[in-house]
Structures are given as structure tokens and as C-alpha cells.
Amino acid sequence: MPVVNKEDKIVIGSEVFVPLISAEKIQERVKELGIQISKDYEGKIPIFIGVLNGAFLFLADLLKNVYVDCEIDFFKLSSYGDEKISSGNVTLIKELNCDVNGRDIIIVEDIVDSGLSIKYIEELFSRYKPAGMKVVSLLVKPESLKYNVKIDYIGFEVPNRFVIGYGLDYAQKFRNLRSIYVLEE
Ligand code: IMP
Ligand code: MG
């Protein structure tokens, strides 16, 4: 279990992570997003496509707040490895199991950093000719965006610093934290 000390800081060697978004704030915002998406998809049956591994908690909490009929599937891209900086390469690890042709799909991401992953996913999925494709990301780092991507639903905008918790990892750890923490400068 990650060590969260009295000041609610996470210390990993010489690196210190401090609270950025509390569990309560996350739940509040996720509920708002779920309600908004439900309104926008009234009468439709969207397929939520979670991008593994990071989006698993967000997708689960989001879906608890969606009240239209929907389906879910998962998709996996290569990760950062154990580094904090993207390699700039994206490869496919797990394909979709569903047929998205003619369907309304909603891609669910944990965080959009450079935008490379989302751009790759959008290009790939558009070949399957969905009826519509939208993106919901819990977090976006606006200062870090390098690719021209449209994020339809955003939970929070965060500074261009490394964050962990609520699905987001550092070398595969800390995904189980309820809040989001940021690397102190
Ligand atoms: P992008 O392709 O540069 O937009 O990066 C997106 C992916 O990188 C996300 O889905 C995350 O898995 C990972 N990522 C980006 N920034 C962070 C971070 O601050 N903490 C943990 N993972 C991150
Ligand atoms: Mg991810």
C-alpha cells in the first residue's frame, strides 16, 4: 500500500507528491459528467470504450452516474513504461471486442497529456465508421497538448506536472489512491 503520511504527502525516494484533487471533488465532478453525458445521449445506446489501464476507476464511477442504456468495452495502448515522460510512440496492445460500426462511441481516458494517444485512437476508430465519436477525459494538461484533438467532456484541467492516483500510475503503482496527487516541484 502506498504510504500516505500525516501531511497527506506521498514520498517516493526523493520525490514528493502532494494532494491536487480530493476524492470528494472527483466524485462530485464525475457525477456531473455522467449526468451531462446521459442528457446528451438520451434515446441512444452509446458504447463507452475505456482506455486501459488508467481509465478503469473513472469509467466505473462515471457509469454509475449514467442513466441511459449503454455498453462498455476496453482498449489498451502501450504505456509510458516506468517513465514519467511519454516515449512519443503508441502501439496497440488490446483491440476492441465489439463492433463499433454505426454506433455512438465515447472514448474514456484518464488523462490527455500530449494528445498523441487520443489522436491515434480517433484515427484508428474512424476506420470502423462509428455513427459518432466523442472523448471524455478525467484530466487534461492544456499546456502539454501538442496534437489537435477535441476533448468533448473534461473533468479537470491540471498543470503540466506528473500526477498519480485514481487510476493514474507511477511505474504501475498508486492507481488505487482515491485522490489525485501531483509531483511537487
Ligand atoms: P498522451 O498520449 O501524451 O496524451 O498521454 C496519455 C497517456 O499517458 C495517459 O492515458 C496516461 O496513461 C499517461 N499519462 C500522461 N500524463 C500522465 C501523468 O501525469 N501521470 C500518469 N500517467 C500519465
Ligand atoms: Mg492512459
Side-chain angles (χ1 to χ4, degrees), residues 49 75 95-96 99-103 105 107 118-134:
I49 299 173
F75 181 82
E95 247 291 15
L96 286 179
D99 184 5
V100 301
N101 183 252
R103 299 293 304 273
I105 61 175
I107 300 160
I118 278 300
K119 195 171 188 299
Y120 175 91
I121 293 170
E122 281 185 335
E123 281 175 6
L124 187 73
F125 289 179
S126 35
R127 288 188 221 147
Y128 305 144
K129 308 239 177 312
M133 179 161 52
K134 283 195 181 180

Side-chain angles (χ1 to χ4, degrees), residues 88-149:
N89 294 315
V90 182
T91 52
L92 186 73
I93 295 178
K94 186 209 163 291
E95 247 291 15
L96 286 179
N97 293 324
C98 62
D99 184 5
V100 301
N101 183 252
R103 299 293 304 273
D104 285 296
I105 61 175
I106 303 172
I107 300 160
V108 184
E109 257 287 25
D110 51 357
I111 185 165
V112 176
D113 184 3
S114 69
L116 176 66
S117 307
I118 278 300
K119 195 171 188 299
Y120 175 91
I121 293 170
E122 281 185 335
E123 281 175 6
L124 187 73
F125 289 179
S126 35
R127 288 188 221 147
Y128 305 144
K129 308 239 177 312
M133 179 161 52
K134 283 195 181 180
V135 178
V136 52
S137 187
L138 178 70
L139 308 176
V140 175
K141 292 180 183 170
E143 297 155 38
S144 183
L145 273 177
K146 285 198 204 96
Y147 297 86
N148 182 22
V149 288

